[in-house]
Amino acid sequence: MLRVWSASPPLQTLLMPRSPLASLPSRCWGLRPSQALRRSHPLSTQSEPCRSSLSRRNHEAKQKRQREKQMALEAGITPKGKAPAGSSRAWTPKEVVLYEVPTEPGEKKDVYRLLPPAYSPRYVEAAWYSWWVREGFFKPEYQTRLPQATGEMFSMCIPPPNVTGSLHIGHALTVAIQDALVRWHRMRGDQVLWIPGSDHAGIATQAVVEKQLWKERGMRRHELSREKFLREVWKWKDEKGGEISEQLQALGASLDWDRECFTMDAGFSVAVTEAFVRLYEAGLLYRSQQLVNWSCTLRSAISDIEVESRPLPGHTELQLPGCPTPVSFGLLVSVAFPVDGEPDAEVVVGTTRPEMLPGDVAVAVHPDDSRYTHLHGRQLRHPLTGQLLPLITDSTVQPHVGTGAVKVTPAHSPADAELGARHGLSPLSVIAEDGTMTSLCGDWLQGLHRFVAREKIISALRERGLFRGLQNHPMVLPICSRSGDVIEYLLKSQWFVRCREMGDRAAQAVESGALELSPSFHQKNWQHWFSHIGDWCVSRQLWWGHRIPAYLVVEEHMKGDGEDCWVVGRTETEARKIAAELTGRSEAELTLQRDPDVLDTWFSSALFPFAALGWPQETPDLARFYPLSLLETGSDLLLFWVGRMVMLGTQLTGQLPFTKVLLHSMVRDGQGRKMSKSLGNVLDPRDIISGVELQVLQEKLKDGNLDSTELAIAAAAQRKDFPHGIPECGTDALRFALCSHRALGGDVHLSVSEVLSSRHFCNKIWNALRFILNALGEGFVPQPAEELSPSSPTDAWILSRLAHTAQECERAFLARELPLITHALHHFWLHSLCDVYLEAVKPVLSHSPHPQGPPQVLFSCADVGLRLLAPLMPFLAEELWQRLPPRPGSNSAPSISVAPYPTTHSLEHWRQPALEQHFSQVQEAVQVLRALRATYQLTKARPRVLLQSSEPGELSLFKPFLEPLATLGHCGAVGLLPPGVAAPSGWAQAPLSDTIQVYMELQGLVDPQAHLALLAARRRKLQKQLDGLMAWTPSGGEEETKRQQRLSSLQLELSKLDKAASHLRQLMDACPSPKEL
């Protein structure tokens, strides 16, 4: 095996530095260096004696730490120096191992070399993905050839991420869940299609390219023609758009890349146009002037999901785009509207947006508000213009809020627009598309930025004596998530989708059970949203996107009403023909202008389940895989994406696009906070996978758009949470940690320490396989699983545990409960296989010649265990499974990704629940023995042990397990003491149960006098803790529960210490101490 070291570095440089990405030399095990890790020194071979000495010292130090930790755990003591739970601890840098065997992309990785001594993610994750893709393992056509093929279909699409961005931790959760399900179905034998794709992200992509144009050329898009700008966007997409695919591959997503779909592809564009035309022909699309969410910075309408509702507790200053100074919000301005004809009478209204005053057309009060009954039917003077405004009554006005009187601005408020429509009020648009004041405001305000005009309006009110005060006022401010600007509601002529009819069908689908939402509590939100759904504005004032296939017939109006004449067609030729029929004029004399707007990105995304399969063409894929088997996504997309897919899918294809929806929750940090750049707690999956220095994290913050105050807070938070950066954890560890959370219920609280713990689990599996492969030796030939017969009760127990784990995994996959799978796998690998069976079998394997039974059992544990693990940890499972010897005469799968997933039925002959129950008592005895050893500090001695029961025949359960009991309890010989027989003097005693006692030899192994002093010191420390807890009065019920639990634990520990001390004193009386001899 190739061992490569740096020429002569100091000792500390042989370990990886604080960041796995630092350019320091790494120990290499036949692996090509990754692009992220550069070698800065020439490589040469270091002398083996030095390496052996270093390894020996490290091994001895590690053993010492493990002994101390084990003793502390057994005694219930917190190890010295151990940080409290949840605190930030320095992580130990790990050695980076790289795969450097020359391997062309798509070639199979070399698995004939020895495994490196420790798990290294970069070694494990190298080369596998390109081989999987080249072999076609991810294609449904390949799966028809599998021996375990079921003939069933399983299809799913990935929620298409924006082509502009990078995958965040929420995307990683989506991929981890979806890929685990997909891989399980594939191994099960189903024909699996998982469709990859990305979204053109109209607003985001256009903004990125515009910024790039300005930075590189000093140009705005309007200085280019539309066609030239779109060429720039496509150029950017070709250069940068592949990053999403690379990140998905790094996460191990087993997508069928030959079917990759981009929402601006030619085929997808045809589907979008077809959908628009069909909806228009069905009367479900229309053009109208209505209020829309408007971003003045983007100069475009935006969707509801792009509007962030930001609560403000009161006076708050915000820095907004285009404003040189901060703008105040959360203030209520009181304004007097004089009553016409009564010089001393006025109606005072409050507003948080005084710049809207020029658009007021009325003042409204509740009809039953006695304060204003005498003014019903009267008119008021506008405080700025002096024009007469009606005082109207409306039952929607809340009389107990403020003064009970509200101004009505129909052109800039959805609620006021409804009120104005009920009373026949004409709207006045006073804010333009660019956020300046319109000509309707008068010369003194026209052209001013709306927030500059605000100050001028307040000054005018003061001058006229109509300003009545200013006070703090909590409010919710709509903010554009794309630009950070305040959203305005503007009246615009746009295209709208009628949603009522389609929404009723979507609601009925869930109510009838035809569409299943999981978790089911989402049904309430679904039904509420669709019962209150309004029409959907799909026009966007952008250049990048699907241009609306609608044409204005120039100088032509609809008959009778003077409105513009619009026609819709798949092509201009088709539209011209329709226009000719509509107007009665010849096609040649008509002038058509295509709508310059593009469609909302959510419109095209809503077509993804069927457009990605070739719709509107009747393609083989559409026939085979539509409707999709499952839609899995974040719960935040339930209404804006899932709901619209159901509406349009049902309308356009006549079928629900899927029958099952699985929704996961939001990912938060370990403290339960929403991940936010301003908090400095955002976790980039790539940083967790590859590791990153604190300095790099801080530089990323500076590249963002945080102001100086937010930047300082975020940087401080990063220094606190990641003082040494983020350690390299690897893809498998990240996936496993994400799947371990109950993502289908509450929010996922993810911390780096959890992922690091999963990396340690990977290392445990790695070491287990190294042990197993060594135990198998050369020339090992596995038996067929159905012929394997355990040769000892311990062998039978581990095989039963393995079969039970397979049963739990199968049940959980069917229920799509991934946390149950991770728990079952973690328990088997760590607690059943590594902690128990491998330790118990070591003495057996030391016999010469090797017994034949344990190696066969070890092989089955590795083979079945890795196949159970493969959907969640695909890279590690493949790396290790490939090194197992194949079963003779079997049609062995070329990859674990297409190997059969273990089933309950295939392993049921190994199940022995009664045996597992018996062995659980053995494990309890092991814990008692270890606790006794820790109490009496028997670090090296192997004392003899006796078990005694008051129930005849009860000890027979232990007879088959006496040897593993001794091994696991770190004891000498274990014997059985008949009932009624007195135990030897000088032996420690501990109860195993109400009927079973454990005796451990102490005489000659312990110095009672010296040990009594240690016990006394320990007792004083525990008593001090107990006294402190007794004196403390907790503030809440949860704290009281924890206090009581800790009290019980301390009292039990003190009782054990008192018992041990009593026994040691008896031992002193029975024999003199070594010092007295």
Side-chain angles (χ1 to χ4, degrees):
M1 177 166 51
L2 178 65
R3 292 181 174 89
V4 186
W5 296 77
S6 58
S8 56
L11 181 62
Q12 62 266 28
T13 64
L14 295 179
L15 290 177
M16 197 180 149
R18 283 296 182 192
S19 167
L21 298 182
S23 301
L24 289 179
S26 306
R27 183 176 179 181
C28 304
W29 294 81
L31 213 102
R32 196 171 25 235
S34 75
Q35 294 176 351
L37 188 72
R38 304 186 305 273
R39 287 180 294 180
S40 57
H41 301 286
L43 299 178
S44 65
T45 304
Q46 188 176 19
S47 61
E48 186 64 27
C50 291
R51 196 196 75 81
S52 299
S53 175
L54 175 64
S55 299
R56 185 169 60 253
R57 290 198 302 271
N58 287 343
H59 180 68
E60 290 170 354
K62 180 179 179 181
Q63 283 189 322
K64 182 180 179 182
R65 290 194 304 271
Q66 287 177 334
R67 285 196 302 270
E68 291 172 349
K69 181 180 178 182
Q70 184 61 45
M71 288 173 59
L73 289 174
E74 291 167 354
I77 302 170
T78 301
K80 187 176 181 181
K82 179 178 175 67
S87 68
S88 176
R89 288 194 297 159
W91 44 271
T92 305
K94 303 298 181 184
E95 192 177 2
V96 173
V97 184
L98 301 180
Y99 174 76
E100 288 195 326
V101 177
T103 306
E104 291 295 323
E107 285 186 6
K108 186 176 180 180
K109 189 175 183 178
D110 184 350
V111 293
Y112 296 102
R113 298 169 186 254
L114 292 178
L115 287 172
Y119 168 73
S120 181
R122 297 192 203 184
Y123 180 94
V124 170
E125 294 165 19
W128 285 121
Y129 196 92
S130 60
W131 177 65
W132 289 333
V133 172
R134 192 198 69 175
E135 292 298 313
F137 296 145
F138 303 159
K139 300 185 70 60
E141 292 79 7
Y142 182 93
Q143 295 141 37
T144 60
R145 308 197 300 267
L146 296 179
Q148 71 269 28
T150 62
E152 297 181 13
M153 305 289 178
F154 182 80
S155 55
M156 192 164 62
C157 69
I158 195 169
N162 288 352
V163 72
T164 54
S166 58
L167 298 182
H168 53 64
I169 201 69
H171 289 123
L173 175 61
T174 300
V175 170
I177 294 172
Q178 292 192 4
D179 195 49
L181 296 173
V182 160
R183 286 179 179 271
W184 175 71
H185 276 281
R186 188 180 293 119
M187 294 176 71
R188 190 170 175 248
D190 298 340
Q191 291 184 49
V192 174
L193 174 60
W194 189 19
I195 309 166
S198 55
D199 192 278
H200 65 277
I203 293 175
T205 305
Q206 181 164 309
V208 167
V209 177
E210 284 192 87
K211 286 180 182 177
Q212 182 175 291
L213 275 174
W214 177 252
K215 182 178 180 181
E216 295 179 356
R217 305 186 203 173
M219 297 178 65
R220 303 294 185 189
R221 68 178 165 103
H222 292 284
E223 298 176 47
L224 298 173
S225 66
R226 182 170 186 149
E227 291 71 22
K228 287 182 179 179
F229 177 75
L230 291 179
R231 281 200 293 270
E232 293 292 331
V233 180
W234 277 107
K235 179 183 175 183
W236 178 91
K237 189 267 177 186
D238 292 339
E239 293 174 355
K240 305 292 186 181
E243 291 182 9
I244 290 291
S245 300
E246 293 171 6
Q247 292 172 58
L248 288 170
Q249 292 171 24
L251 286 167
S254 55
L255 295 148
D256 185 352
W257 291 104
D258 290 341
R259 290 175 165 91
E260 185 177 10
C261 180
F262 176 52
T263 54
M264 283 290 287
D265 286 340
F268 208 104
S269 296
V270 169
V272 172
T273 298
E274 183 67 24
F276 190 95
V277 172
R278 291 193 188 185
L279 290 173
Y280 180 79
E281 291 174 346
L284 297 174
L285 257 169
Y286 66 96
R287 187 173 177 86
S288 172
Q289 187 182 59
Q290 297 183 30
L291 281 182
V292 298
N293 302 321
W294 188 266
S295 170
C296 298
T297 299
L298 300 174
R299 298 195 188 185
S300 174
I302 63 173
S303 67
D304 290 342
I305 201 172
E306 289 158 331
V307 178
E308 172 194 343
S309 296
R310 185 176 301 178
L312 303 179
H315 182 210
T316 306
E317 291 191 343
L318 299 178
Q319 188 69 56
L320 300 176
C323 296
T325 58
V327 180
S328 292
F329 293 93
L331 293 172
L332 188 69
V333 179
S334 296
V335 182
F337 283 70
V339 177
D340 184 45
E342 293 188 32
D344 297 328
E346 64 184 29
V347 175
V348 178
V349 301
T351 177
T352 58
R353 298 291 305 274
E355 62 273 18
M356 300 292 190
L357 276 169
D360 293 347
V361 296
V363 172
V365 296
H366 194 279
D368 299 331
D369 192 337
S370 59
R371 292 172 294 178
Y372 302 108
T373 305
H374 66 289
L375 296 178
H376 290 185
R378 299 292 296 274
Q379 290 189 312
L380 310 177
R381 289 286 179 182
H382 193 288
L384 295 178
T385 66
Q387 292 178 334
L388 293 176
L389 307 180
L391 186 139
I392 60 176
T393 60
D394 195 282
S395 58
T396 62
V397 177
Q398 298 177 354
H400 303 297
V401 176
T403 63
V406 295
K407 64 191 195 67
V408 183
T409 320
H412 300 288
S413 164
D416 289 4
E418 293 180 11
L419 191 152
R422 288 195 295 272
H423 295 272
L425 302 174
S426 298
L428 291 177
S429 294
V430 295
I431 294 180
E433 292 181 356
D434 61 356
T436 61
M437 307 303 285
T438 68
S439 59
L440 295 178
C441 301
D443 294 341
W444 69 296
L445 293 176
Q446 182 180 357
L448 288 178
H449 191 285
R450 61 197 189 282
F451 296 126
V452 174
R454 170 192 290 186
E455 302 305 319
K456 203 168 183 180
I457 288 172
I458 292 177
S459 296
L461 292 172
R462 292 180 187 273
E463 291 173 3
R464 299 177 190 190
L466 298 175
F467 179 79
R468 294 292 178 267
L470 190 68
Q471 65 187 62
N472 271 347
H473 183 74
M475 64 179 295
V476 176
L477 192 66
I479 299 290
C480 173
S481 63
R482 300 293 183 183
S483 66
D485 200 1
V486 173
I487 289 297
E488 302 297 348
Y489 299 102
L490 301 188
L491 276 172
K492 304 293 293 181
S493 291
Q494 310 274 269
W495 290 95
F496 292 84
V497 175
R498 299 185 199 276
C499 294
R500 173 58 61 188
E501 180 183 339
M502 292 188 291
D504 288 344
R505 287 202 298 263
Q508 178 59 31
V510 169
E511 190 173 345
S512 66
L515 179 62
E516 176 188 333
L517 302 182
S518 181
S520 58
F521 62 76
H522 289 294
Q523 293 180 12
K524 183 177 180 180
N525 289 340
W526 181 273
Q527 300 295 0
H528 180 268
W529 194 67
F530 280 112
S531 64
H532 295 84
I533 194 169
D535 290 350
W536 170 20
C537 173
V538 293
S539 295
R540 297 293 179 267
Q541 290 63 47
L542 304 171
W543 284 357
W544 172 246
H546 297 283
R547 195 166 175 181
I548 294 175
Y551 300 82
L552 173 67
V553 184
V554 180
E555 298 181 357
E556 189 71 32
H557 300 281
M558 299 298 289
K559 296 176 181 177
D561 56 15
E563 292 184 3
D564 289 340
C565 179
W566 287 86
V567 293
V568 171
R570 295 169 181 83
T571 63
E572 183 175 341
T573 301
E574 182 177 290
R576 188 174 294 278
K577 182 178 180 181
I578 294 170
E581 295 173 356
L582 188 65
T583 61
R585 298 165 60 186
S586 67
E587 295 181 28
E589 61 180 305
L590 291 173
T591 301
L592 301 186
Q593 287 183 357
R594 187 169 183 176
D595 192 330
D597 294 347
V598 300
L599 284 165
D600 180 10
T601 300
W602 292 103
F603 185 89
S604 51
S605 297
L607 311 179
F608 199 84
F610 46 96
L613 294 171
W615 185 91
Q617 304 300 318
E618 291 292 336
T619 64
D621 276 0
L622 190 66
R624 287 171 65 198
F625 298 111
Y626 186 81
L628 302 181
S629 308
L630 177 70
L631 190 282
E632 197 285 332
T633 189
S635 57
D636 56 322
L637 296 179
L638 173 64
L639 306 176
F640 295 103
W641 187 46
V642 180
R644 287 164 174 170
M645 282 191 288
V646 171
M647 286 197 304
L648 296 192
T650 306
Q651 176 66 32
L652 296 171
T653 70
Q655 302 179 78
L656 286 168
F658 31 75
T659 55
K660 293 181 175 62
V661 179
L662 193 65
L663 299 156
H664 64 254
S665 303
M666 178 184 291
V667 182
R668 297 181 179 271
D669 70 6
Q671 301 175 45
R673 301 174 303 174
K674 183 178 179 180
M675 290 193 180
S676 164
K677 291 180 180 178
S678 60
L679 292 175
N681 63 346
V682 172
L683 293 177
D684 186 328
R686 293 172 294 184
D687 292 340
I688 299 175
I689 291 171
S690 301
V692 66
E693 290 178 325
L694 174 62
Q695 181 181 353
V696 177
L697 289 173
Q698 305 262 285
E699 290 298 326
K700 285 186 178 182
L701 286 178
K702 295 177 183 177
D703 292 339
N705 57 357
L706 302 179
D707 61 35
S708 57
T709 303
E710 290 176 323
L711 182 61
I713 294 172
Q718 281 189 343
R719 288 192 295 271
K720 179 182 177 182
D721 293 342
F722 313 116
H724 308 290
I726 297 177
E728 178 191 34
C729 297
T731 296
D732 287 320
L734 175 59
R735 289 168 55 120
F736 197 84
L738 287 167
C739 290
S740 297
H741 285 270
R742 291 197 171 276
L744 305 185
D747 290 336
V748 175
H749 295 181
L750 183 72
S751 64
V752 172
S753 60
E754 288 180 79
V755 188
L756 192 58
S757 177
S758 292
R759 174 183 165 139
H760 297 332
F761 179 50
C762 292
N763 191 62
K764 198 78 173 178
I765 296 170
W766 183 268
N767 289 334
L769 260 293
R770 291 182 69 235
F771 174 85
I772 290 172
L773 291 171
N774 183 62
L776 299 184
E778 297 291 334
F780 174 80
V781 179
Q783 291 179 350
E786 60 274 8
E787 297 178 13
L788 176 59
S789 178
S791 59
S792 73
T794 311
D795 290 349
W797 171 80
I798 192 63
L799 290 177
S800 182
R801 290 300 308 156
L802 181 60
H804 176 70
T805 303
Q807 182 183 48
E808 287 185 310
C809 289
E810 184 177 59
R811 286 176 178 172
F813 265 123
L814 288 170
R816 302 189 182 96
E817 289 281 359
L818 299 188
L820 300 181
I821 300 167
T822 58
H823 175 77
L825 291 171
H826 188 270
H827 192 276
F828 171 77
W829 277 97
L830 194 60
H831 301 298
S832 296
L833 184 63
C834 294
D835 289 352
V836 178
Y837 184 73
L838 294 189
E839 295 301 319
V841 84
K842 283 177 182 177
V844 179
L845 292 174
S846 66
H847 299 161
S848 184
H850 278 354
Q852 304 222 347
Q856 294 291 344
V857 173
L858 287 171
F859 172 84
S860 291
C861 287
D863 172 42
V864 176
L866 288 172
R867 282 188 283 137
L868 289 172
L869 190 69
L872 296 131
M873 291 185 169
F875 293 105
L876 179 63
E878 187 76 86
E879 181 73 37
L880 297 175
W881 187 80
Q882 288 286 346
R883 296 169 187 272
L884 293 174
R887 296 185 189 273
S890 65
N891 187 12
S892 180
S895 165
I896 198 171
S897 63
V898 290
Y901 197 81
T903 63
T904 303
H905 175 73
S906 65
L907 302 179
E908 62 183 355
H909 60 288
W910 286 345
R911 284 287 281 126
Q912 296 189 50
L915 178 67
E916 290 186 44
Q917 182 63 34
H918 294 164
F919 195 79
S920 66
Q921 292 181 272
V922 175
Q923 291 177 283
E924 291 173 11
V926 168
Q927 296 305 315
V928 171
L929 293 177
R930 291 181 177 179
L932 279 173
R933 287 177 54 81
T935 299
Y936 294 98
Q937 295 190 352
L938 298 173
T939 55
K940 295 182 180 179
R942 292 291 183 265
R944 291 177 294 168
V945 171
L946 290 173
L947 302 178
Q948 186 180 49
S949 174
S950 60
E951 296 291 334
E954 190 175 19
L955 291 182
S956 62
L957 300 177
F958 290 89
K959 283 184 180 179
F961 301 108
L962 294 182
E963 184 175 352
L965 178 57
T967 301
L968 297 171
H970 307 301
C971 299
V974 178
L976 303 178
L977 190 65
V981 177
S985 62
W987 288 47
Q989 178 184 359
L992 176 59
S993 67
D994 293 339
T995 57
I996 300 177
Q997 296 293 319
V998 175
Y999 299 95
M1000 179 179 286
E1001 180 183 23
L1002 289 185
Q1003 198 159 2
L1005 302 176
V1006 173
D1007 180 352
Q1009 190 170 357
H1011 199 63
L1012 273 171
L1014 293 174
L1015 290 181
R1018 173 64 180 157
R1019 196 191 192 291
R1020 286 193 298 271
K1021 183 177 180 180
L1022 292 181
Q1023 186 64 50
K1024 185 177 180 181
Q1025 293 180 20
L1026 182 66
D1027 294 342
L1029 275 177
M1030 295 289 287
W1032 175 54
T1033 304
S1035 57
E1038 185 177 345
E1039 289 184 348
E1040 173 62 21
T1041 301
K1042 291 180 180 179
R1043 173 178 171 271
Q1044 291 296 334
Q1045 291 173 346
R1046 181 59 181 155
L1047 282 173
S1048 299
S1049 175
L1050 287 171
Q1051 289 165 348
L1052 179 61
E1053 183 65 23
L1054 286 169
S1055 174
K1056 289 180 180 179
L1057 290 177
D1058 290 342
K1059 187 174 182 180
S1062 174
H1063 184 76
L1064 286 172
R1065 282 190 288 270
Q1066 294 175 11
L1067 196 61
M1068 287 178 63
D1069 295 339
C1071 62
S1073 72
K1075 295 178 181 178
E1076 298 172 0
L1077 296 177

